[in-house]
Amino acid sequence: MNRTEILQKVKEAMPEKRYIHTLGVEKQAIRLAKHYGENVEKASLAALLHDYAKYTELKTQQAIIVQEKMDPRLLSYHASLWHAPVGSFFAKNEFGVEDPAILEAIRVHTTGKIGMSRLDKILYLADYTEENRDFPGVEKARELVFQSLDQAMLYALGRTIIFLVSKNSPIFPDTFEAYNDFSSKTIKGDVNEFDE
Ligand code: DGI
Ligand code: FE
Ligand code: FE
């Protein structure tokens, strides 16, 4: 599939606003890839496909999670988490993407996980900071993201957890695990800070 074909298929799968978001994520992912020496083509493709499954019928998403033996805990959490692993499945099966690094970045783009790769972080943070996003804290995230991917991940995951708690939403364990992983990597987030 060439770029034009990919763009057309992605565009047809979502409302205009989501397509504009997708192009914004690609732009930011390419900027970040260049800044951090990551493969630009991989970042671009992961970005273009990351929300492809967002408007797939939930029944279909659920069936794919079951059939493909994906993490069964997903089914007892909010359905907005499902489009990430299901999107990874479509990237492989509808777009012919074979690269495991691209497929994994798409799979973990909503929750994060322990031990994220540079490409995983770039997609997660491009999704969080692309130019059309507007929420409290996005400006700070846009600055942090070019200073340190790990600091930016800690900030973005922390803000996401605070946001979910403010809505009394359940938080998927991988989100906490990712947060803890980045927290323990930075001195600032170390629990010892509170010992004295
Ligand atoms: O698909 P996008 O809107 O571009 O962004 P996304 O895939 O990062 O997030 C989709 C939604 O999932 C968003 O409303 C925040 C929510 N979310 C992220 N982590 C968790 C979560 N929802 C729950 N319930 N638990 C989580 O851990
Ligand atoms: Fe998403
Ligand atoms: Fe997105």
Side-chain angles (χ1 to χ4, degrees):
M1 250 187 186
N2 64 34
R3 181 178 169 87
T4 311
E5 290 167 333
I6 291 170
L7 286 178
Q8 190 179 335
K9 193 169 158 70
V10 168
K11 192 174 202 287
E12 280 167 7
M14 53 187 65
E16 182 74 10
K17 196 168 176 222
R18 178 65 48 177
Y19 184 64
I20 291 167
H21 160 71
T22 297
L23 295 179
V25 177
E26 190 203 20
K27 189 171 162 188
Q28 182 74 330
I30 289 173
R31 275 198 205 127
L32 290 170
K34 285 181 177 160
H35 187 78
Y36 289 107
E38 179 55 72
N39 183 300
V40 170
E41 283 72 35
K42 289 187 196 209
S44 160
L45 189 53
L48 290 179
L49 301 182
H50 86 284
D51 276 343
Y52 175 74
K54 190 105 180 166
Y55 302 91
T56 302
E57 266 202 75
L58 289 182
K59 263 193 304 176
T60 308
Q61 294 193 41
Q62 192 179 35
I64 290 169
I65 289 169
V66 173
Q67 275 161 28
E68 297 303 311
K69 299 185 168 49
M70 291 169 178
D71 189 338
R73 296 173 309 173
L74 286 163
L75 300 173
S76 40
Y77 284 83
H78 200 270
S80 65
L81 302 180
W82 302 352
H83 75 286
V86 173
S88 176
F89 174 81
F90 286 147
K92 185 169 189 187
N93 291 278
E94 291 195 19
F95 292 85
V97 176
E98 302 273 3
D99 188 328
I102 296 175
L103 297 174
E104 185 64 2
I106 297 171
R107 188 182 75 81
V108 303
H109 90 262
T110 301
T111 60
K113 66 165 185 180
I114 292 178
M116 290 174 81
S117 73
R118 188 170 53 183
L119 186 64
D120 296 339
K121 296 173 201 173
I122 285 175
L123 180 59
Y124 185 98
L125 291 168
D127 192 18
Y128 196 75
T129 60
E130 63 96 2
E131 62 194 9
N132 306 292
R133 287 274 198 222
D134 187 17
F135 54 84
V138 73
E139 296 296 342
K140 172 150 165 115
R142 283 186 187 128
E143 278 175 31
L144 269 181
V145 87
F146 287 99
Q147 291 164 17
S148 157
L149 288 175
D150 287 352
Q151 290 281 355
M153 282 301 307
L154 179 64
Y155 179 76
L157 285 160
R159 296 298 300 228
T160 297
I161 289 169
I162 289 168
F163 169 72
L164 292 167
V165 168
S166 79
K167 295 199 306 171
N168 294 320
S169 295
I171 296 164
F172 195 67
D174 289 12
T175 305
F176 277 129
E177 289 182 358
Y179 172 82
N180 289 341
D181 192 26
F182 288 107
S183 178
S184 62
K185 278 179 185 154
T186 68
I187 295 162
K188 262 196 163 171
D190 197 293
V191 70
N192 295 326
E193 204 185 339
F194 303 108
D195 279 358
E196 280 111 81

